[in-house]
Amino acid sequence: MLHDEGGTGRPILLLHGLMGSARTWGRHVGWLRGHGHVYTFDAAGHGRPAPAELTTEAFVADLAAHLDPITEPLVVIGHSMGALHAWCFAAAHPDRVAALVLEDMAPDFRGRTAADWAAMVSQWPQPFPSEDAVLDFFGLVAGRYFLDSFTRRDDGWYLHGDVATFRDISEEWGTRHFWDEWNAVRVPALLIEGEFTITPEGQMRRMATRPGTEYARVEGAGHLVHDDRPDDYRVLVEKFLTGLDR
């Protein structure tokens, strides 16, 4: 579940979003190695069994249980679900986190439901017979994300998890907020939001009022900022990481 991607120096942990995998960071691992020892992680329920209870606390506990080989405080970089898990991990284990980079995720989605989205996902034409079929269906950016995440079998490409599990992970976010966990964080943080974000209006800017927090909005980027505008994303993250050294 924890993958050593190489590099030297401070540990940098990359956490993927919902329906993603550790492989979705592959286009960024190379330059991140210039800033530390990079690790990626496959969340529970994504190609491996999900926790018995689909709560954020259960996913954070699963993450913590797999990080024992890393003894130094981590820079944790997370996208979407991975960003939520990153700051909740920092709140629960403050001695294990040195800094956070959080991409396109907010603390409060109460009132939203994933039911319609899950119904749509259930209608996807599985298996996708080829890489081109995935790219044609999702477009280049999201298509690459899913090619990095899906399971490849002899007859094509399949989801690497259960739709009901993905749905219920997201449904929890519509029933509670995570402001308390965010306000408990005491390490430097960079927040990156896409112009075409999934987050409720203004929440990431509100998060940025916490001391020690930087905020950037990337014009033209959708939810997958790091793949949609990879050069802009790299500039922001490298500037933040370099600033940590100072």
Side-chain angles (χ1 to χ4, degrees):
M1 280 56 85
L2 182 67
H3 309 282
D4 187 335
E5 306 287 359
T8 59
R10 64 186 163 206
I12 299 174
L13 175 66
L14 308 179
L15 302 180
H16 63 78
L18 185 67
M19 299 179 68
S21 80
R23 297 190 304 275
T24 61
W25 291 108
R27 288 171 286 281
H28 298 273
V29 165
W31 62 263
L32 281 166
R33 287 193 193 106
H35 297 276
H37 191 151
V38 180
Y39 298 85
T40 56
F41 182 74
D42 285 306
H46 294 67
R48 63 186 182 92
E53 295 186 8
L54 297 177
T55 65
T56 296
E57 287 80 6
F59 283 95
V60 169
D62 175 82
L63 172 63
H66 287 89
L67 294 180
D68 287 343
I70 306 173
T71 57
E72 297 177 56
L74 296 142
V75 174
V76 187
I77 299 176
H79 166 247
S80 192
M81 178 188 76
L84 174 63
H85 292 174
W87 87 65
C88 289
F89 176 72
H93 303 277
D95 58 325
R96 302 186 72 176
V97 178
L100 296 168
V101 177
L102 309 175
E103 178 189 348
D104 222 58
M105 190 59 176
D108 191 352
F109 288 86
R110 284 178 294 178
R112 294 193 183 185
T113 177
D116 290 344
W117 165 81
M120 176 193 69
V121 173
S122 297
Q123 298 303 311
W124 286 356
Q126 293 189 74
F128 292 90
S130 67
E131 291 188 15
D132 286 344
V134 175
L135 296 173
D136 288 345
F137 190 82
F138 295 105
L140 186 60
V141 173
R144 286 175 176 168
Y145 182 85
F146 285 120
L147 282 172
D148 289 337
S149 304
F150 286 174
T151 298
R152 186 174 185 177
R153 303 177 189 168
D154 291 341
D155 58 343
W157 300 82
Y158 288 82
L159 271 173
H160 59 308
D162 183 67
V163 175
T165 297
F166 295 145
R167 179 199 64 210
D168 290 348
I169 291 170
S170 182
E171 284 284 276
E172 185 212 22
W173 307 338
T175 65
R176 58 184 292 198
H177 70 79
F178 298 90
W179 281 114
D180 293 340
E181 290 81 0
W182 170 246
N183 290 328
V185 171
R186 294 293 180 263
V187 296
L190 169 64
L191 311 182
I192 300 175
E193 186 171 25
E195 177 181 0
F196 305 108
T197 180
I198 67 162
T199 63
E201 179 67 29
Q203 284 198 26
M204 292 195 77
R205 289 184 183 272
R206 179 180 163 193
M207 291 172 72
T209 63
R210 188 204 68 121
T213 306
E214 303 174 29
Y215 169 85
R217 181 176 184 266
V218 179
E219 301 296 324
H223 182 51
L224 288 160
V225 181
H226 62 284
D227 280 337
D228 214 356
R229 294 292 186 272
D231 293 339
D232 294 336
Y233 178 85
R234 177 176 178 175
V235 167
L236 291 167
V237 174
E238 288 198 309
K239 180 181 177 182
F240 177 73
L241 295 177
T242 301
L244 294 177
D245 294 333
R246 294 195 297 267

